[in-house]
Amino acid sequence: MNAERPALADARLERYVALVLERNAVQNLTAARTPDAVFEHVRDSLSVVPYVREPFVDIGSGGGFPGIPIAIATSYRGVLVESVVKKARFLEEVVRELALPLEVRVGRAEDAGRAPELRERFASATARAVSSLPAVLELTIPFLSVGGLAVLQRGRLEARERTAAHDASIVLGATIEDDVALGGELDGRRIVLVRKVAPTGQRFPRRAGIPAKRPLCFEGGGDD
Ligand code: SAM
C-alpha cells in the first residue's frame, strides 16, 4: 500500500481491500488493480453512508462496492444482489470472513425485486456503476418500502438523463429529493437521492435486461 496514505479507519476495510486485490489477480472482479485504485472505490462507497438506513439493499454489488464498506462502517443489515455467480461467491467469502450482517442474493435485480421476501422491504437501496439512472431506478425502487430512499452514486449527469430520471421516478412511485454534489477528492461525483412515496406498480421491474435496454422515459438511452 502507498506509505503516504493514511490507514483506513477500520482494520476490516484494510482487509477487504486486500481481499479484492488478491481475488482480482485471478478473476476479473473490478477494473481497480492497485491498492490506491481500490482505496478510491472504498472512499467513494463511504460517501453514501450518511444517507443509508437499515436494512439496505445494494444492487449490482460486483466486488462489493458500496455494500461491503457500508456494512463495515455501520454494521447495518443488508442484502447484496449480484447476477454474476463468481462475483457473488467472492462476496459470500468476504461476508463470512469479516462476519458482516449481509446476505448475498445471486441473480438479477429484475427477478429479486419481484420476490415477496425482498420487494418493498428495505429502508435504503444503493447501486453504483450499474446502468443509466432511469434503469437503476427501475432496479432499485421496487425493493424500497414507501418512505425509503434510493442513494445513487453518479458521475456526470446530462440534462436528458436527469429529465428521464425525474419522469421515471414518478412512474415508479418515487420522487427525486436531492442531488448532492461531492467536493474535495470526490469532486465531480454526486449522490442522487430518490424517495419512494407510493407502492411501485406490479409491472415493475420489467423482465431481465429490459430496464437497461429500454430505460423508462429515456428514449435512446439504453445499453445497446
Ligand atoms: N457496484 C460495483 C462497483 O461499483 O464496483 C460493481 C459495478 S459493475 C460495473 C456492475 C455490476 O452490476 C456487475 O457486477 C454486474 O454483474 C451487476 N449487474 C448489472 N446488472 C444487474 C442486474 N440487473 N441485476 C444484478 N446485478 C447486475
Side-chain angles (χ1 to χ4, degrees):
M1 300 236 175
N2 183 344
E4 288 171 18
R5 201 179 56 229
L8 289 164
D10 190 312
R12 288 175 305 171
L13 284 174
E14 296 280 358
R15 179 67 187 139
Y16 171 52
V17 170
L19 289 170
V20 169
L21 286 166
E22 215 173 273
R23 181 56 60 93
N24 229 12
V26 292
Q27 175 189 336
N28 191 15
L29 200 57
T30 156
R33 299 268 159 209
T34 64
D36 280 340
V38 178
F39 178 85
E40 283 308 311
H41 284 340
V42 170
R43 185 170 21 212
D44 188 51
S45 297
L46 292 175
S47 69
V48 300
V49 165
Y51 306 102
V52 174
R53 297 290 175 269
E54 180 181 38
F56 73 97
V57 62
D58 182 35
I59 302 302
S61 301
F65 305 106
I68 298 275
I70 292 171
I72 293 174
T74 64
S75 298
Y76 288 166
R77 284 172 296 119
V79 175
L80 309 180
V81 179
E82 172 53 51
S83 58
V84 174
V85 176
K86 274 188 167 183
K87 292 182 180 180
R89 296 291 169 249
F90 169 75
L91 295 171
E92 285 167 351
E93 284 169 37
V94 173
V95 165
R96 207 174 313 117
E97 169 161 346
L98 301 181
L100 298 172
L102 297 174
E103 186 194 310
V104 179
R105 180 87 172 207
V106 191
R108 309 271 315 197
E110 293 91 327
D111 301 320
R114 290 187 166 276
E117 71 278 17
L118 297 176
R119 190 177 177 93
E120 308 213 317
R121 300 278 174 183
F122 295 87
S124 300
T126 54
R128 178 180 181 269
V130 174
S131 194
S132 69
L133 189 52
V136 163
L137 288 170
E138 186 171 351
L139 297 179
T140 52
I141 300 293
F143 288 90
L144 292 173
S145 335
V146 173
L149 193 67
V151 181
L152 306 171
Q153 288 156 278
R154 308 300 303 176
R156 221 187 42 222
L157 197 54
E158 283 166 14
R160 217 168 61 82
E161 188 176 355
R162 185 188 300 271
T163 303
H166 172 269
D167 295 349
S169 297
I170 294 170
V171 171
L172 294 162
T175 179
I176 297 183
E177 190 169 275
D178 207 349
D179 178 0
V180 183
L182 300 174
E185 280 152 331
L186 295 176
D187 198 22
R189 305 276 300 152
R190 56 197 327 110
I191 302 173
V192 180
L193 301 173
V194 185
R195 181 79 61 189
K196 180 146 166 178
V197 294
T200 300
Q202 286 304 319
R203 73 184 193 92
F204 301 112
R206 290 167 292 168
R207 69 186 159 76
I210 301 297
K213 200 171 172 186
R214 295 209 305 270
L216 284 173
C217 313
F218 195 26
E219 195 112 329
D223 275 358
D224 59 357

